[in-house]
Structures are given as C-alpha cells and as structure tokens.
Amino acid sequence: MVEKFKAVLSLSLIQPEDNDSSGGMSSSTGMTDIQENTCSSIDDIRRRVQDLVEEINDSRTSDQKVMDGFEEKLMKKVPEMCQQMKELMYSVYEENSNKMEGKLQELFEVLERCTKLNKELVEANQALSGLREALAVSQTPEP
C-alpha cells in the first residue's frame, strides 16, 4: 500500500513539459494554465489518496474477516485437541497402572516370602535355643 501511495504521488507531481506551440501566448494565460493544472493535480492526488485509504480500509476489513474465521476455527479446534490430549493422558495412566500393578504384585509376593522366611528363621532360632539349653543342662556336672 505504501508503495502504491508513493507511486501515485510521484506520478502526480510530474508536470508535463510546457510545449508552447502558440509562440505568442501571454504570461497571464500561461499562469492560469499552471494554476488549473496545479489544482487538477491536487484534486487528482486527493482522489488517489482517498482511493488508497479506501483500499487500505477494505484490506483491513478483509484481514479482520480472515482473523475472525481463523479465531472461530481455532476455538473449535482447541477443545478437540484438549480432548485428544486427555485421551492420550488417560491411556498413558492406564498403561502405567497396569505396569505398576504387575510390579506391586511381585513386591507383595516377595514380602510374603520374606514374612514366611522370617517366621521359619524365628522357629529355627527357637529350636536352636532349646537345643543349646538342653545341651547345657546335659553337660553340667552333677553334684
């Protein structure tokens, strides 16, 4: 738009060469022609500037319509994308839960074996303590 404006201004400011073919035209007639040409040039510039302003405004209106359309599409797309993200998040949760469930099951089995082994160890310790006491009693000399 700015380039168009500059081009219009530069074209309007160029005055056609004064080809005075009459040879004897008075200076007042020449001055009147210059004033008329200047006024018409100024009017041309005003019209061209007004046309450019209208063109800019039309372009802005068009840009606004494009942005409104973009915003509308975006506003429709955002909930869709959020829903897709939620679904993906939930599928990751489910996958992780299944893996954790397997690991927890293994952990409970190991803890159960540890409890059983601890119980067996306590029983073995008690049995050994009983044996030691029995051996200690049998080895004491009788008075």
Side-chain angles (χ1 to χ4, degrees), residues 22-38:
S22 64
M25 194 185 290
S26 72
S27 66
S28 66
T29 306
M31 196 56 116
T32 306
D33 287 343
I34 292 174
Q35 288 174 346
E36 286 177 8
N37 283 343
T38 303

Side-chain angles (χ1 to χ4, degrees), residues 44-91:
D44 286 344
I45 292 172
R46 281 189 186 140
R47 273 193 301 276
R48 289 178 182 164
V49 168
Q50 184 61 38
D51 289 345
L52 287 173
V53 167
E54 288 176 11
E55 208 175 301
I56 289 169
N57 287 337
D58 290 345
S59 178
R60 287 178 178 175
T61 301
S62 174
D63 291 347
Q64 187 61 46
K65 287 179 183 177
V66 168
M67 284 305 295
D68 290 345
F70 175 75
E71 181 180 17
E72 185 177 323
K73 288 178 183 176
L74 186 62
M75 295 304 285
K76 288 179 183 177
K77 198 69 173 169
V78 167
E80 292 174 15
M81 293 303 295
C82 286
Q83 185 60 37
Q84 288 176 0
M85 291 297 291
K86 283 181 183 178
E87 289 171 6
L88 179 61
M89 182 177 68
Y90 294 146
S91 70

Side-chain angles (χ1 to χ4, degrees), residues 1-10 52 55-56 60:
M1 286 298 158
V2 172
E3 293 302 320
K4 285 184 181 179
F5 181 71
K6 287 179 181 177
V8 168
L9 280 178
S10 66
L52 287 173
E55 208 175 301
I56 289 169
R60 287 178 178 175

